[in-house]
Amino acid sequence: MSKRSFTKEEQALLRENKYTYSVTANTISFTIEFKKEFWKLYQTGHRPREIVEILGYDFELLGETRVTGLQGMIKKQAAEGNFREGQHASYAVSNHPDYSLMSDSQKLYAMEHELYYLRHEMEFLKKISNPGKDIK
């Protein structure tokens, strides 16, 4: 089953929901707050259909294909520890992971990676701020 298009009236209705980031005839994007609330409810055992209705959307309007895709996308972003506004990485409000969404092992890995990256970044900044000292 393919995704169906939204009419102008349906787009206007979807825009009224505070959790809608943007909507076109073919796509709907959600806010970070929506994704966080969806994830919390999903972890407590609610089904995706229930969750979108709790958060003020008509499941029949969104359709099963969109909601299934939404569930997968939110799971992926939660695993990365970084919910993004809209659909694409370029919409990211913050590039910093949300450690509260991660398991302890994921937190440790993410923090080690961040530490490693910051150390290399610091070394790079030192080198470019004193370019004459490294040249022999």
Side-chain angles (χ1 to χ4, degrees):
M1 184 172 150
S2 65
K3 295 180 194 174
R4 70 173 193 79
S5 298
F6 298 122
T7 66
K8 294 287 183 190
E9 294 79 23
E10 291 169 337
Q11 290 177 47
L13 179 66
L14 291 167
R15 280 189 191 99
E16 290 176 7
N17 189 309
K18 69 179 184 175
Y19 295 119
T20 301
Y21 180 75
S22 68
V23 64
T24 67
N26 297 313
T27 64
I28 181 168
S29 300
F30 299 94
T31 63
I32 291 173
E33 292 77 23
F34 173 86
K35 293 174 182 181
K36 286 181 178 180
E37 288 300 315
F38 187 103
W39 185 242
K40 285 180 194 173
L41 291 168
Y42 185 76
Q43 289 183 309
T44 61
H46 287 79
R47 293 184 1 235
R49 177 187 187 116
E50 296 172 308
I51 297 170
V52 295
E53 290 176 348
I54 289 169
L55 297 176
Y57 291 97
D58 179 2
F59 176 81
E60 298 302 323
L61 178 59
L62 295 179
E64 188 172 339
T65 303
R66 274 193 185 91
V67 173
T68 301
L70 174 65
Q71 173 190 356
M73 182 256 313
I74 290 175
K75 276 183 174 181
K76 181 180 177 191
Q77 289 183 11
E80 294 169 352
N82 190 15
F83 288 121
R84 295 180 295 276
E85 199 106 77
Q87 293 182 334
H88 305 289
S90 62
Y91 293 132
V93 173
S94 170
N95 289 330
H96 303 290
D98 186 351
Y99 294 115
S100 66
L101 301 171
M102 297 179 182
S103 69
D104 288 341
S105 62
Q106 288 173 322
K107 285 179 196 177
L108 180 60
Y109 176 79
M111 288 178 184
E112 286 175 345
H113 178 73
E114 185 176 2
L115 179 62
Y116 178 79
Y117 178 84
L118 291 172
R119 284 180 177 166
H120 283 273
E121 186 175 39
M122 182 65 76
E123 289 302 314
F124 174 75
L125 292 172
K126 285 179 185 177
K127 286 179 183 178
I128 65 169
S129 65
N130 296 319
K133 289 189 174 183
D134 289 327
I135 301 173
K136 293 182 180 182

